[in-house]
């Protein structure tokens, strides 16, 4: 039962972090970049189905540059690193 709770908690954490990063970026985009962003339905579909993998796609899609892709890859790695760190901490605390 503990493994199931750990999995669900980790999935929720990854989805929440991913949504926060993309929403944070959406607030900073110019009008033209915002036009290239996902609508709400597509945003939530991408978050739920692909979680951290949608971050580089969002940044590359809105910026249309390799620098945007690199920025997205950096944020994706940050989400994965936080997820791994939290999972390791929970595993160390719960026998």
């Amino acid at each position: 039962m503990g493994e199931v709770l750990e999995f669900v908690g980790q999935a929720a954490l990854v989805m929440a972090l991913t949504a926060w990063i993309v929403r944070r970026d959406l607030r900073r985009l110019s009008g033209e970049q915002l036009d290239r962003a996902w609508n709400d339905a597509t945003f939530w579909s991408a978050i739920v189905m692909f979680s951290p993998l949608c971050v580089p796609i969002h940044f590359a899609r809105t910026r249309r540059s390799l620098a945007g892709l690199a920025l997205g890859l950096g944020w994706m790695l940050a989400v994965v690193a936080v997820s791994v760190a939290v999972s390791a901490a929970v595993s160390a605390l719960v026998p």
Side-chain angles (χ1 to χ4, degrees):
M1 182 69 174
E3 292 148 0
V4 172
L5 290 175
E6 183 179 343
F7 173 77
V8 170
Q10 186 174 7
L13 173 67
V14 168
M15 282 187 241
L17 284 172
T18 302
W20 177 76
I21 288 168
V22 174
R23 287 285 188 201
R24 178 181 176 269
D25 183 59
L26 285 172
R27 289 191 302 269
R28 291 164 166 58
L29 294 178
S30 69
E32 183 180 334
Q33 291 172 327
L34 197 55
D35 289 340
R36 292 191 291 254
W38 296 315
N39 62 31
D40 256 0
T42 307
F43 167 80
W44 285 111
S45 296
I47 297 296
V48 171
M49 293 301 296
F50 302 109
S51 285
L53 295 176
C54 76
V55 174
I57 295 168
H58 161 77
F59 278 86
R61 179 180 168 93
T62 56
R63 285 159 178 80
R64 296 204 177 170
S65 68
L66 289 176
L69 178 62
L71 184 61
L73 287 172
W75 277 111
M76 180 186 78
L77 291 175
V79 169
V80 172
V82 168
S83 172
V84 168
V86 168
S87 178
V90 168
S91 294
L93 293 175
V94 178

